Amino acid sequence: MTSDRALVDAVLSHAPGAFERLVNEYQRLCWHIVYRLVGHPEDAQDLCQETFLRVHRYLYQYRYESALKSWIGQIAYSVALRHLERRRIPLIDSADGELPDLDNIADAFDLESACVNEDLHRQVDEALEELPPLQRMLLTLYHVDELSVSEIARVTGLAEGTIKSHLYRTRLRLRSMLNSDSPDNLKRTNP
Amino acid sequence: MNTDEQEWRAQERALSVERKGDRPVSATDRERQYQYLARRIAQQPVPTLPTDFARHVARLAEASRGAMDTAELRFQWRLIGAAVAAMLMSAVLISASFGIQWLSFVYTDNPWLRACVMCVAISEALKHWQRTRPGQNVQVSLTSYDKLRRDEDG
């Protein structure tokens, strides 16, 4: 928070290079939020730009009530959300069906083989890309940016329970896909 | 939350093991599956922003601030102009209605008017002194940011 304050003060006093430093600091998070929601690199780049121009314009309104990261994340989220609304792209899959039955998911799995299996990598990458925008973004913020559930809640305005539920369901579905779609050589062969 | 607590814990344990890079890998097959997913999510190829994105946005923000400042300044001058015009029109209307007797306060001994004139005179004298004192008549140097931008552009 102290470094946030110093950076914000520097930007507000128009210190040379301060805003560029701020953008450098938070562009990765902004990109993950926007790109994961929007899914198109060019649109996402424009929206990231819009996000930071808004940050620059309204930074004087930032009151240190949350981390700067969360505040910028909120702006990125709302900018991307408005874009999706304009394009009428649903944030979540309305036909979010039943969860796979835990008892029917086979457990046998060889991690070492899986880690060198390019086919499986491709399948999982494709499955990740095909996730609904919100789930794709939540997974990235939680796994890649290492934001806690409460930090994600501050960025998105969603309840913590809702975020946990999305993470749980997404990971469970991906896990069930591993076993149903993966080649036989991924499943541990018992001697 | 509609989750199986055991399953959720397995997901979280696998993520934690993957983040720490601990060996040996997760204990159960289920956790190994989640560990693989955690690794894949972290390693998934994703396009990135251009390397000069921050610099580009900073320049845009600086340019838009300049444009905003100019627009605000223009608006302020318009407001001042409107206020002066309104005062002049009022003076003309009052003169037309009541004659020019109200202007007598200018040439009679009015202490408020004297105080007002003194304030303006002091303010102008200070401004003049600031402009002409030694060391102040050199051209204001560019900020380092402007220099940086010129260096980059040049």
Side-chain angles (χ1 to χ4, degrees):
Chain A
M1 197 60 111
T2 317
S3 61
D4 277 358
R5 194 174 283 270
L7 188 55
V8 170
D9 288 347
V11 174
L12 291 179
S13 59
H14 309 301
F19 188 63
E20 189 178 329
R21 216 161 59 236
L22 182 145
V23 178
N24 259 323
E25 186 83 19
Y26 296 106
Q27 65 180 18
R28 187 169 183 263
L29 174 72
C30 178
W31 175 253
H32 282 163
I33 293 172
V34 174
Y35 176 68
R36 283 317 199 180
L37 283 174
V38 170
H40 295 280
E42 280 140 30
D43 288 350
Q45 193 178 326
D46 289 346
L47 295 170
C48 276
Q49 185 175 299
E50 188 184 333
T51 300
F52 280 110
L53 290 178
R54 276 170 185 269
V55 167
H56 187 263
R57 190 166 175 192
Y58 296 108
L59 193 62
Y60 71 95
Q61 292 181 357
Y62 173 58
R63 294 282 173 263
Y64 305 97
E65 286 155 357
S66 58
L68 185 60
K69 179 168 72 171
S70 307
W71 190 74
I72 293 174
Q74 279 170 21
I75 296 177
Y77 183 70
S78 65
V79 165
L81 217 58
R82 199 164 333 114
H83 175 85
L84 291 179
E85 280 166 8
R86 276 199 301 264
R87 300 275 169 102
R88 299 182 183 196
I89 299 170
L91 195 57
I92 49 172
D93 191 358
S94 53
D96 192 16
E98 289 291 307
L99 280 176
D101 188 352
L102 285 172
D103 297 330
N104 291 339
I105 303 177
D107 269 343
F109 187 76
D110 185 343
L111 180 63
E112 299 306 327
S113 313
C115 287
V116 292
N117 188 318
E118 291 298 327
D119 284 342
L120 185 63
H121 293 348
R122 206 184 51 253
Q123 283 174 30
V124 175
D125 290 349
E126 281 170 11
L128 288 169
E129 287 304 322
E130 283 164 14
L131 287 171
L134 184 65
Q135 291 178 359
R136 207 163 49 199
M137 184 203 69
L138 292 177
L139 215 54
T140 303
L141 293 188
Y142 194 63
H143 278 253
V144 182
D145 294 286
E146 301 190 13
L147 262 62
S148 66
V149 171
S150 58
E151 283 175 318
I152 298 174
R154 272 197 291 277
V155 168
T156 58
L158 295 170
E160 289 188 19
T162 309
I163 294 165
K164 276 187 178 178
S165 176
H166 278 300
L167 288 171
Y168 171 81
R169 294 162 79 92
T170 310
R171 293 190 294 200
L172 183 58
R173 284 222 172 83
L174 289 170
R175 182 187 157 219
S176 72
M177 187 211 78
L178 275 186
N179 286 75
S180 58
D181 290 345
S182 59
D184 289 342
N185 62 356
L186 292 174
K187 295 178 184 172
R188 182 187 290 158
T189 47
N190 293 322
Chain B
M1 181 173 63
N2 184 21
T3 59
D4 178 282
E5 202 51 44
Q6 222 179 351
E7 191 74 12
W8 170 259
R9 276 205 297 272
Q11 294 179 352
E12 291 300 287
R13 255 197 315 272
L15 177 58
S16 168
V17 167
E18 180 58 24
R19 273 183 189 161
K20 287 178 190 158
D22 286 351
R23 292 289 184 272
V25 289
S26 310
T28 65
D29 282 317
R30 179 167 55 179
E31 285 175 25
R32 275 192 276 275
Q33 290 169 333
Y34 282 127
Q35 191 179 346
Y36 169 73
L37 287 175
R39 191 172 298 179
R40 209 52 231 146
I41 292 165
Q43 291 177 352
Q44 198 197 4
V46 176
T48 53
L49 282 166
T51 47
D52 63 343
F53 176 77
R55 179 168 298 183
H56 171 72
V57 173
R59 280 183 181 178
L60 278 180
E62 191 64 23
S64 73
R65 185 170 69 90
M68 243 161 34
D69 287 351
T70 310
E72 274 174 21
L73 206 63
R74 205 175 294 145
F75 180 67
Q76 280 175 13
W77 277 112
R78 278 189 191 148
L79 275 183
I80 292 169
V84 169
M87 282 168 66
L88 287 175
M89 239 154 73
S90 307
V92 169
L93 282 174
I94 290 170
S95 301
S97 308
F98 305 104
I100 56 166
Q101 287 82 2
W102 65 278
L103 276 172
S104 62
F105 81 94
V106 175
Y107 47 81
T108 54
D109 189 20
N110 186 329
W112 288 108
L113 186 65
R114 258 188 292 156
C116 185
V117 168
M118 271 177 68
C119 282
V120 171
I122 290 169
S123 162
E124 286 302 313
L126 276 174
K127 263 198 255 175
H128 180 72
W129 176 72
Q130 277 184 332
R131 275 200 301 268
T132 54
R133 74 183 162 144
Q136 288 300 300
N137 53 353
V138 291
Q139 197 180 0
V140 177
S141 64
L142 291 166
T143 64
S144 51
Y145 183 66
D146 287 339
K147 278 181 188 165
L148 181 77
R149 290 181 64 185
R150 285 189 176 194
D151 289 347
E152 283 168 8
D153 294 343

